[in-house]
Amino acid sequence: RIHWETMNIAEKKLESMDLFQLGSPATDLSIINGKLAALTHRDSLEIIESPALNGTVGSEPSRLRHTDPRARQATHMIELAGQPLEEPLASIMLVADRERMVAGLWTPWQRPNTNCEVVFQAELPASIRKFRRGRMRPLWNQARQLPKFSRLPSTLDDADILGIALDGSLTQFVQLDVHAW
């Protein structure tokens, strides 16, 4: 279950705002575009819209807006957001699972109650446990410049995406455009 609570300053206690029942325990939570992205143990990515995120109490119950079309035993997720795309609020969630797979899930924010779309997926030598952002390029190459050789920026500030695997290995993820791929 996901519980939304707010602090009542006058009474100095937490008050319940909303509740949402998940199909399996959540392993990771993020707020993206004003919605809660919950990564669950069995059902993968679930994006929930809750009025509690806007501070509204008792207006409507929370609703599941988007979900991964495939049930994955997901381990971690990170948002890939490069240069602004044609569609507003466009982003891709990179999701890792226990079967040594990573998938890029595009969320159709403008179409509620539709599944996320799998944009890409890949098999890795080991399962990714955590994703992290990092600066891996030399200092003289970290200046804000346009990516070269059909590489797309992975984050808004063009940081690198790293995956730490269960076997201790480190994987760097790079997005390429369709022509380079």
Side-chain angles (χ1 to χ4, degrees):
R1 290 183 189 173
I2 296 177
H3 295 269
W4 281 273
E5 296 178 340
T6 185
M7 175 63 96
N8 184 333
I9 302 297
E11 296 181 24
K12 296 182 181 175
K13 67 177 189 175
L14 292 174
E15 293 180 351
S16 180
M17 291 182 71
D18 201 359
L19 172 73
F20 186 81
Q21 183 68 39
L22 293 171
S24 64
T27 58
D28 195 13
L29 300 172
S30 290
I31 295 178
I32 300 170
N33 295 331
K35 295 177 180 50
L36 181 71
L39 191 67
T40 63
H41 183 68
R42 283 190 317 242
D43 302 323
S44 190
L45 180 65
E46 295 184 355
I47 298 178
I48 303 157
E49 182 178 45
S50 173
L53 290 172
N54 301 326
T56 312
V57 180
S59 59
E60 297 179 9
S62 296
R63 293 178 294 210
L64 182 64
R65 287 300 190 182
H66 308 283
T67 186
D68 187 349
R70 180 178 163 223
R72 307 170 199 273
Q73 289 187 344
T75 55
H76 206 244
M77 68 177 173
I78 193 167
E79 182 182 20
L80 302 179
Q83 293 175 339
L85 302 175
E86 292 79 29
E87 181 177 343
L89 305 176
S91 65
I92 295 174
M93 295 298 291
L94 185 61
V95 177
D97 65 19
R98 294 188 188 275
E99 298 168 358
R100 299 184 349 229
M101 299 290 291
V102 291
L105 303 175
W106 175 74
T107 306
W109 298 107
Q110 307 301 344
R111 297 180 307 209
N113 303 324
T114 54
N115 283 343
C116 297
E117 296 177 22
V118 179
V119 180
F120 60 84
Q121 63 183 26
E123 186 174 347
L124 300 173
S127 295
I128 298 294
R129 176 65 188 115
K130 290 266 186 207
F131 289 112
R132 289 289 180 248
R133 299 171 63 246
R135 297 282 181 187
M136 300 301 294
R137 287 174 266 152
L139 288 175
W140 62 86
N141 195 13
Q142 287 184 12
R144 189 86 171 128
Q145 61 183 0
L146 293 175
K148 298 178 183 176
F149 310 114
S150 300
R151 181 183 66 83
L152 300 174
S154 296
T155 62
L156 289 176
D157 61 348
D158 198 22
D160 300 311
I161 301 293
L162 304 172
I164 298 109
L166 290 174
D167 67 354
S169 62
L170 186 69
T171 303
Q172 182 178 359
F173 294 90
V174 176
Q175 289 188 95
L176 300 175
D177 69 7
V178 174
H179 300 295
W181 182 74

